[in-house]
Amino acid sequence: QVQLVESGGGSVQAGGSLRLTCAASGFTYSQYCMGWFRQAPGQGREGVAGIDSDGRTTYSPSVNGRFTITRDIQKNILYLQMDSLKPEDTGIYQCAADVNLGMRDGYCYGVENWGQGTQVTVS
């Protein structure tokens, strides 16, 4: 059973930085997509960034150039470095992972394994 546990959220002023961490366990896919999604108050969930088993990345146009997704394969940890944060980046950020069904514009398609989420507030 895949388990994903996020950490690193918090409150920051506009222009600041945060780094989110997602610790993965029970993950045995050889071809996978891991990604970050977020949900702002009153809005739907949107893809932020994804990375596949070959190291290819995808970003939402709204964060491209400001956020960086990386992974530590040995430790099974996914990171999201968020710089130049804006108030519109506020939301609950969730880590997700599954077999690779494709990715685009920050989305890993078809993911069904989710973390519990971590709150990011930018003021």
Side-chain angles (χ1 to χ4, degrees), residues 88-103:
E88 51 264 43
D89 294 319
T90 294
I92 297 174
Y93 283 68
Q94 288 180 282
C95 171
D98 218 311
V99 63
N100 191 358
L101 298 178
M103 59 179 188

PDB file of all heavy atoms in Angstrom, residues 88-103:
ATOM      1  N   GLU A  88      -1.711  34.122  -4.527  1.00  0.00           N
ATOM      2  CA  GLU A  88      -2.527  33.149  -5.254  1.00  0.00           C
ATOM      3  C   GLU A  88      -1.962  31.734  -5.199  1.00  0.00           C
ATOM      4  O   GLU A  88      -2.582  30.789  -5.687  1.00  0.00           O
ATOM      5  CB  GLU A  88      -2.719  33.582  -6.714  1.00  0.00           C
ATOM      6  CG  GLU A  88      -1.447  33.930  -7.443  1.00  0.00           C
ATOM      7  CD  GLU A  88      -1.165  35.429  -7.446  1.00  0.00           C
ATOM      8  OE1 GLU A  88      -1.343  36.079  -6.397  1.00  0.00           O
ATOM      9  OE2 GLU A  88      -0.768  35.935  -8.509  1.00  0.00           O
ATOM     10  N   ASP A  89      -0.784  31.566  -4.612  1.00  0.00           N
ATOM     11  CA  ASP A  89      -0.246  30.226  -4.389  1.00  0.00           C
ATOM     12  C   ASP A  89      -0.813  29.594  -3.115  1.00  0.00           C
ATOM     13  O   ASP A  89      -0.536  28.428  -2.831  1.00  0.00           O
ATOM     14  CB  ASP A  89       1.282  30.272  -4.282  1.00  0.00           C
ATOM     15  CG  ASP A  89       1.957  30.688  -5.571  1.00  0.00           C
ATOM     16  OD1 ASP A  89       1.516  30.231  -6.647  1.00  0.00           O
ATOM     17  OD2 ASP A  89       2.925  31.467  -5.509  1.00  0.00           O
ATOM     18  N   THR A  90      -1.588  30.336  -2.364  1.00  0.00           N
ATOM     19  CA  THR A  90      -2.178  29.827  -1.136  1.00  0.00           C
ATOM     20  C   THR A  90      -3.099  28.657  -1.423  1.00  0.00           C
ATOM     21  O   THR A  90      -3.886  28.683  -2.370  1.00  0.00           O
ATOM     22  CB  THR A  90      -2.961  30.938  -0.427  1.00  0.00           C
ATOM     23  OG1 THR A  90      -2.038  31.950   0.012  1.00  0.00           O
ATOM     24  CG2 THR A  90      -3.723  30.413   0.782  1.00  0.00           C
ATOM     25  N   GLY A  91      -2.993  27.618  -0.575  1.00  0.00           N
ATOM     26  CA  GLY A  91      -3.871  26.470  -0.726  1.00  0.00           C
ATOM     27  C   GLY A  91      -3.331  25.272   0.024  1.00  0.00           C
ATOM     28  O   GLY A  91      -2.294  25.351   0.688  1.00  0.00           O
ATOM     29  N   ILE A  92      -4.068  24.176  -0.095  1.00  0.00           N
ATOM     30  CA  ILE A  92      -3.606  22.912   0.464  1.00  0.00           C
ATOM     31  C   ILE A  92      -2.855  22.169  -0.637  1.00  0.00           C
ATOM     32  O   ILE A  92      -3.404  21.939  -1.720  1.00  0.00           O
ATOM     33  CB  ILE A  92      -4.781  22.069   0.976  1.00  0.00           C
ATOM     34  CG1 ILE A  92      -5.485  22.797   2.120  1.00  0.00           C
ATOM     35  CG2 ILE A  92      -4.291  20.697   1.435  1.00  0.00           C
ATOM     36  CD1 ILE A  92      -6.747  22.117   2.598  1.00  0.00           C
ATOM     37  N   TYR A  93      -1.635  21.805  -0.337  1.00  0.00           N
ATOM     38  CA  TYR A  93      -0.781  21.114  -1.309  1.00  0.00           C
ATOM     39  C   TYR A  93      -0.729  19.626  -0.967  1.00  0.00           C
ATOM     40  O   TYR A  93      -0.432  19.253   0.176  1.00  0.00           O
ATOM     41  CB  TYR A  93       0.620  21.714  -1.295  1.00  0.00           C
ATOM     42  CG  TYR A  93       0.713  23.036  -2.010  1.00  0.00           C
ATOM     43  CD1 TYR A  93       0.090  24.176  -1.498  1.00  0.00           C
ATOM     44  CD2 TYR A  93       1.395  23.149  -3.217  1.00  0.00           C
ATOM     45  CE1 TYR A  93       0.157  25.390  -2.154  1.00  0.00           C
ATOM     46  CE2 TYR A  93       1.472  24.361  -3.887  1.00  0.00           C
ATOM     47  CZ  TYR A  93       0.851  25.473  -3.353  1.00  0.00           C
ATOM     48  OH  TYR A  93       0.920  26.678  -4.018  1.00  0.00           O
ATOM     49  N   GLN A  94      -1.018  18.820  -1.952  1.00  0.00           N
ATOM     50  CA  GLN A  94      -1.005  17.386  -1.786  1.00  0.00           C
ATOM     51  C   GLN A  94       0.005  16.727  -2.720  1.00  0.00           C
ATOM     52  O   GLN A  94       0.132  17.130  -3.882  1.00  0.00           O
ATOM     53  CB  GLN A  94      -2.382  16.782  -2.071  1.00  0.00           C
ATOM     54  CG  GLN A  94      -3.431  17.054  -1.012  1.00  0.00           C
ATOM     55  CD  GLN A  94      -4.750  16.422  -1.398  1.00  0.00           C
ATOM     56  OE1 GLN A  94      -5.472  16.957  -2.243  1.00  0.00           O
ATOM     57  NE2 GLN A  94      -5.067  15.293  -0.793  1.00  0.00           N
ATOM     58  N   CYS A  95       0.657  15.720  -2.200  1.00  0.00           N
ATOM     59  CA  CYS A  95       1.544  14.875  -2.978  1.00  0.00           C
ATOM     60  C   CYS A  95       0.714  13.724  -3.547  1.00  0.00           C
ATOM     61  O   CYS A  95      -0.213  13.228  -2.877  1.00  0.00           O
ATOM     62  CB  CYS A  95       2.642  14.368  -2.056  1.00  0.00           C
ATOM     63  SG  CYS A  95       3.724  13.112  -2.746  1.00  0.00           S
ATOM     64  N   ALA A  96       1.024  13.292  -4.745  1.00  0.00           N
ATOM     65  CA  ALA A  96       0.311  12.192  -5.374  1.00  0.00           C
ATOM     66  C   ALA A  96       1.287  11.368  -6.199  1.00  0.00           C
ATOM     67  O   ALA A  96       2.289  11.878  -6.699  1.00  0.00           O
ATOM     68  CB  ALA A  96      -0.813  12.715  -6.249  1.00  0.00           C
ATOM     69  N   ALA A  97       0.961  10.094  -6.356  1.00  0.00           N
ATOM     70  CA  ALA A  97       1.848   9.211  -7.110  1.00  0.00           C
ATOM     71  C   ALA A  97       1.075   8.013  -7.635  1.00  0.00           C
ATOM     72  O   ALA A  97       0.124   7.543  -7.007  1.00  0.00           O
ATOM     73  CB  ALA A  97       2.987   8.737  -6.214  1.00  0.00           C
ATOM     74  N   ASP A  98       1.512   7.537  -8.808  1.00  0.00           N
ATOM     75  CA  ASP A  98       0.889   6.345  -9.375  1.00  0.00           C
ATOM     76  C   ASP A  98       1.704   5.881 -10.574  1.00  0.00           C
ATOM     77  O   ASP A  98       2.703   6.537 -10.951  1.00  0.00           O
ATOM     78  CB  ASP A  98      -0.559   6.631  -9.789  1.00  0.00           C
ATOM     79  CG  ASP A  98      -1.476   5.467  -9.505  1.00  0.00           C
ATOM     80  OD1 ASP A  98      -1.099   4.338  -9.893  1.00  0.00           O
ATOM     81  OD2 ASP A  98      -2.545   5.678  -8.908  1.00  0.00           O
ATOM     82  N   VAL A  99       1.267   4.826 -11.194  1.00  0.00           N
ATOM     83  CA  VAL A  99       1.901   4.392 -12.427  1.00  0.00           C
ATOM     84  C   VAL A  99       1.785   5.519 -13.441  1.00  0.00           C
ATOM     85  O   VAL A  99       0.822   6.307 -13.434  1.00  0.00           O
ATOM     86  CB  VAL A  99       1.239   3.102 -12.936  1.00  0.00           C
ATOM     87  CG1 VAL A  99      -0.224   3.317 -13.275  1.00  0.00           C
ATOM     88  CG2 VAL A  99       1.992   2.516 -14.102  1.00  0.00           C
ATOM     89  N   ASN A 100       2.793   5.654 -14.291  1.00  0.00           N
ATOM     90  CA  ASN A 100       2.826   6.766 -15.233  1.00  0.00           C
ATOM     91  C   ASN A 100       1.819   6.568 -16.363  1.00  0.00           C
ATOM     92  O   ASN A 100       1.967   5.703 -17.216  1.00  0.00           O
ATOM     93  CB  ASN A 100       4.238   6.910 -15.804  1.00  0.00           C
ATOM     94  CG  ASN A 100       4.410   8.202 -16.569  1.00  0.00           C
ATOM     95  OD1 ASN A 100       3.466   8.986 -16.701  1.00  0.00           O
ATOM     96  ND2 ASN A 100       5.600   8.429 -17.079  1.00  0.00           N
ATOM     97  N   LEU A 101       0.800   7.423 -16.351  1.00  0.00           N
ATOM     98  CA  LEU A 101      -0.195   7.421 -17.431  1.00  0.00           C
ATOM     99  C   LEU A 101      -0.059   8.668 -18.285  1.00  0.00           C
ATOM    100  O   LEU A 101      -0.952   8.985 -19.069  1.00  0.00           O
ATOM    101  CB  LEU A 101      -1.597   7.316 -16.834  1.00  0.00           C
ATOM    102  CG  LEU A 101      -1.893   6.039 -16.044  1.00  0.00           C
ATOM    103  CD1 LEU A 101      -3.314   6.090 -15.468  1.00  0.00           C
ATOM    104  CD2 LEU A 101      -1.727   4.807 -16.924  1.00  0.00           C
ATOM    105  N   GLY A 102       1.045   9.397 -18.082  1.00  0.00           N
ATOM    106  CA  GLY A 102       1.276  10.624 -18.827  1.00  0.00           C
ATOM    107  C   GLY A 102       1.217  11.827 -17.924  1.00  0.00           C
ATOM    108  O   GLY A 102       0.671  11.771 -16.820  1.00  0.00           O
ATOM    109  N   MET A 103       1.808  12.907 -18.369  1.00  0.00           N
ATOM    110  CA  MET A 103       1.776  14.138 -17.592  1.00  0.00           C
ATOM    111  C   MET A 103       1.876  15.331 -18.527  1.00  0.00           C
ATOM    112  O   MET A 103       2.446  15.245 -19.604  1.00  0.00           O
ATOM    113  CB  MET A 103       2.902  14.170 -16.557  1.00  0.00           C
ATOM    114  CG  MET A 103       4.295  14.070 -17.129  1.00  0.00           C
ATOM    115  SD  MET A 103       5.550  14.146 -15.801  1.00  0.00           S
ATOM    116  CE  MET A 103       7.027  14.256 -16.793  1.00  0.00           C
TER     117      MET A 103
END
